[in-house]
Amino acid sequence: MAALAVVAAAGLLVDDRVLVGAPIWLKPFKFAVSFAVYGLTMAWMLSRLATPSRTARWAAHTVVVAGLAEMAIITGQTIRGRRSHFNTETPLDRGLFATMGVTIAVLWVATLVIAVLLFRARPGDRAATWAIRLGLLIALAGLLLGGLMVMPTPDQEAAGTLRNALGAHSVGVPDGGPAMPLTGWNTTGGDLRIPHFVGMHALQALPLFLYGIEALAGRFIRLRDERVRLRLVLVAAGGAAALLALLTWQALRGQALIHPDGATLGALAALAAATAAGTYGALRRPARAVGNRTGHGTSAPPAATSGEIPRSPDAAQESPA
């Protein structure tokens, strides 16, 4: 996928074709980068299983094969100058689009299997374990939201069997209108790619958030307590899930991300206030001194000053500071 991203980046430079209002190689580039990050994250999560099982290996291989099949179709359609998504103009286009739907469904099930394995195991201390588990759950929800894009639009329903497309990214406006730089998200109507993106990348965001907390633990004693880190992870996961719901609601109402109305801004303000209150509560509650075995009232050093999330509940105490 990293190599394909380089090829697609070269295509952006040398191929001036435009498809549905965007450079034709932009979609292969974005998907290749996304799959590369997704694969690295899943590999890292699986590496934290104490005893990798045959089921885990098969699930990982399934993710790889599904991703390769998806990218083969996207790249092939790009070379042909055809849309890969929502295209039902010809029997070949319909067949390829249907195949992409199957590959994504298979990838989702394989990811669910990995999530189940990580819920049955304990891939770190409590904060790390729940950062991984909740990141996976929100990512699964974000992937599932992609199904909203294949629902026929009102114009497509009116066209009946004569339609040449099924589904769309945009809500309330046609695909291919004015868009944000780089992301290509619609600026005049709703865009279902936004919650899809935010949900999927909770997979990386929550573990990275925990790494950030642990990096600060050397300066802030309260963050050295595993219970405090766990509470902060739970607040962050709740905020991410609420943001996913808010962005989905905004998109389904045909509202552009950068043009929120009063209801959206009010909901966002409430979410920000709730997250701030949750963070304050997580930090305000007294934290037990970690590793205070000498009776001098001192706290132990941070659980992972090197930035690595502990693999077991005892790793924080065994860390050499």
Side-chain angles (χ1 to χ4, degrees), residues 42-290:
M42 298 303 293
W44 173 78
M45 289 183 172
L46 285 168
S47 75
R48 303 190 67 81
L49 291 173
T51 307
S53 64
R54 180 178 299 179
T55 302
R57 288 194 295 271
W58 274 106
H61 295 160
T62 300
V63 169
V64 171
V65 172
L68 287 172
E70 182 86 0
M71 287 308 303
I73 295 174
I74 291 173
T75 306
Q77 289 289 74
T78 298
I79 294 170
R80 295 178 64 225
R82 310 282 293 181
R83 295 182 69 182
S84 54
H85 289 74
F86 318 125
N87 188 354
T88 59
E89 290 184 16
T90 68
L92 176 60
D93 293 327
R94 285 195 296 272
L96 291 174
F97 182 42
T99 302
M100 291 173 65
V102 172
T103 61
I104 289 299
V106 170
L107 184 143
W108 189 89
V109 172
T111 304
L112 177 63
V113 170
I114 293 172
V116 170
L117 293 174
L118 287 166
F119 263 84
R120 294 176 61 184
R122 189 168 180 179
D125 65 8
R126 290 188 301 165
T129 296
W130 283 104
I132 291 172
R133 290 173 176 175
L134 295 175
L136 274 164
L137 286 182
I138 298 173
L140 285 167
L143 278 168
L144 205 58
L145 287 174
L148 295 174
M149 301 183 199
V150 298
M151 302 295 290
T153 66
D155 289 342
Q156 291 166 358
E157 289 181 337
T161 58
L162 298 178
R163 63 189 177 206
N164 56 14
L166 178 63
H169 297 136
S170 303
V171 178
V173 294
D175 284 346
M180 297 172 61
L182 188 60
T183 63
W185 295 337
N186 203 299
T187 58
T188 58
D191 199 319
L192 291 167
R193 290 173 295 183
I194 299 171
H196 183 61
F197 173 89
V198 170
M200 283 186 60
H201 289 289
L203 194 68
Q204 296 87 33
L206 288 180
L208 287 174
F209 172 73
L210 181 56
Y211 271 123
I213 293 174
E214 292 182 339
L216 293 172
R219 298 181 58 186
F220 301 99
I221 294 176
R222 191 170 294 276
L223 297 180
R224 300 175 190 177
D225 191 301
E226 179 187 324
R227 296 177 303 168
V228 172
R229 296 196 302 274
L230 173 61
R231 292 197 294 262
L232 289 172
V233 165
L234 295 178
V235 170
L243 180 62
L244 176 62
L246 173 59
L247 291 172
T248 304
W249 177 59
Q250 182 185 23
L252 288 174
R253 290 187 295 133
Q255 186 179 111
L257 176 68
I258 60 175
H259 298 298
D261 62 9
T264 302
L265 289 174
L268 181 61
L271 170 57
T275 303
T279 302
Y280 176 75
L283 293 171
R284 184 175 180 273
R285 291 176 62 183
R288 179 185 58 188
V290 181

Side-chain angles (χ1 to χ4, degrees), residues 289-301:
V290 181
N292 182 14
R293 299 179 180 179
T294 62
H296 298 300
T298 57
S299 296

